[in-house]
Amino acid sequence: IGSLLAPARADGSGIDFEFAHTCFADRNIVYREGKTDYSDLVGTLVMDALDHGHIKIVKEVCTSLDIYSDLRTYHAEMMGVDLANVPAAPPPAEAAGQQVQKKRKGSKSKQTVKTMANWTDIKRLNRLRPTRQVAAGVPLLRVQTISPTFNYLNLAPQHADAPEPPSEPKFGYPDGLYTSPFFCAREPLQPDAIANLSLLPAFFTRLGQLLLAHEVQSKLALPAQLHSVREAITSSSANTDLSYERLETLGDSVLKYIATVMLFVAYPDAHEGILTSRRGRIICNANLFTLSTRLKLPPHIISLVFAKRD
């Protein structure tokens, strides 16, 4: 785990936290005065200020572009689309009873913005925008967003959203697909390290679940395997790979049978109606909750949904 959090020292004696600190301390923009060749950025990670600081991988250096180039037309040509044949965006509906959103003063839509320089006005990053003289010769970077973290704890088939019906293509400003050395900072981690780090939230969550199961197993001296104990304390609301629903179906029947046999043997002369009434009081949810509280089991129930941010 340590190798995922910080690099190890050369002699293998521990973790080089000093090197890790220097890596994360540098968050300056990648632009350097007088530099025009940014091919060394291809395959590396950057933090894109134009896209809320999301980490992206640089796929290509577009040497023929700068922030004042017509990026909308360039991207359409790369996609093999003739903008002259793309229908214009329809005007906002003004039907009775339908509220029309008022555009913010000075704002522009993706259909009208053509250059990255104009896009900085919408993103309110015009303070970072250089002049034409400074921006000349500094290429744009085609970037790709790192895939979001997957919930590795839920091995059940993911319910995909219903596919949306095809619509008319809209080729506005390609937001999030390009950035500039003026608007991004280099991320010292490698793409493989990001993929490994994405496993950590699920790893520590599963580790916490196993520790809870082990504590229940030890407290109650259960002969069951740790996997079965974890299943017995996992609610379906946790949206993980298992839950106690199947065990609950079996457990209700076993509990009812044991309570019936115990009462039948303990009260051989009692009327069947009395036995049924007493059995109901034994297996009712209120009594089971009281017993579980006495055993301090509620804090060990796994019911929260896996959240990567937590």
Side-chain angles (χ1 to χ4, degrees):
I1 301 303
S3 63
L4 297 177
L5 299 177
R9 295 174 180 170
D11 56 1
S13 60
I15 296 176
D16 193 348
F17 288 103
E18 182 178 353
F19 175 73
H21 176 73
T22 56
C23 287
F24 288 96
D26 184 13
R27 279 296 182 271
N28 297 322
I29 60 175
V30 300
Y31 166 74
R32 294 295 180 268
E33 184 177 357
K35 182 178 179 179
T36 58
D37 183 11
Y38 289 88
S39 58
D40 58 315
L41 293 177
V42 176
T44 63
L45 299 177
V46 294
M47 298 178 63
D48 188 9
L50 292 176
D51 193 13
H52 310 286
H54 289 167
I55 297 179
K56 301 181 179 181
I57 183 170
V58 179
K59 305 297 290 186
E60 180 186 359
V61 178
C62 304
T63 55
S64 62
L65 300 174
D66 59 35
I67 66 171
Y68 290 95
S69 302
D70 189 345
L71 185 55
R72 176 173 177 259
T73 302
Y74 171 84
H75 182 67
E77 292 176 353
M78 293 294 294
M79 299 294 293
V81 177
D82 185 2
L83 290 179
N85 298 327
V86 176
E94 298 182 358
Q98 182 177 0
Q99 295 183 354
V100 180
Q101 294 182 349
K102 296 182 179 179
K103 289 186 177 181
R104 189 181 303 166
K105 184 178 180 180
S107 68
K108 303 176 182 179
S109 69
K110 289 184 180 181
Q111 303 298 320
T112 59
V113 174
K114 296 182 178 181
T115 68
M116 186 174 293
N118 295 138
W119 189 246
T120 58
D121 292 330
I122 296 180
K123 292 294 185 176
R124 298 183 178 181
L125 293 174
N126 47 358
R127 66 184 183 279
L128 301 178
R129 183 177 61 207
T131 62
R132 288 182 177 270
Q133 182 178 0
V134 175
V138 180
L140 298 187
L141 307 175
R142 185 172 66 84
V143 293
Q144 180 179 343
T145 305
I146 298 295
S147 300
T149 305
F150 179 73
N151 182 3
Y152 296 96
L153 299 183
N154 187 0
L155 303 182
Q158 301 294 316
H159 298 287
D161 296 335
E164 298 181 357
S167 58
E168 292 291 336
K170 297 179 181 179
F171 287 88
Y173 179 83
D175 181 24
L177 301 181
Y178 297 87
T179 188
S180 168
F182 294 105
F183 309 125
C184 64
R186 191 158 185 171
E187 172 58 54
L189 293 177
Q190 297 299 319
D192 292 342
I194 293 292
N196 290 334
L197 288 171
S198 67
L199 297 172
L200 288 181
F203 174 84
F204 285 116
T205 301
R206 175 55 53 82
L207 181 60
Q209 294 174 355
L210 291 175
L211 291 176
L212 284 174
H214 182 268
E215 186 174 349
V216 172
Q217 184 186 45
S218 302
K219 179 182 294 186
L220 302 181
L222 299 176
Q225 296 182 355
L226 192 62
H227 174 78
S228 299
V229 177
R230 183 173 70 88
E231 180 179 2
I233 63 175
T234 303
S235 170
S236 59
S237 61
N239 194 28
T240 184
D241 57 326
L242 45 75
S243 70
Y244 53 55
E245 298 295 335
R246 283 176 53 84
L247 291 178
E248 184 179 13
T249 303
L250 177 63
D252 289 342
S253 301
V254 172
L255 180 62
K256 187 175 181 179
Y257 171 75
I258 293 176
T260 301
V261 173
M262 181 190 69
L263 292 173
F264 187 82
V265 174
Y267 304 97
D269 300 327
H271 188 270
E272 62 273 14
I274 296 178
L275 296 179
T276 302
S277 176
R278 290 183 176 180
R279 183 185 63 186
R281 290 197 297 269
I282 292 175
I283 65 176
C284 69
N285 290 335
N287 184 53
L288 296 179
F289 176 76
T290 301
L291 294 176
S292 64
T293 304
R294 189 180 304 169
L295 295 173
K296 299 180 180 180
L297 289 180
H300 297 83
I301 300 299
I302 303 171
S303 59
L304 297 180
V305 178
F306 170 70
K308 299 182 290 293
R309 294 184 181 274
D310 296 341

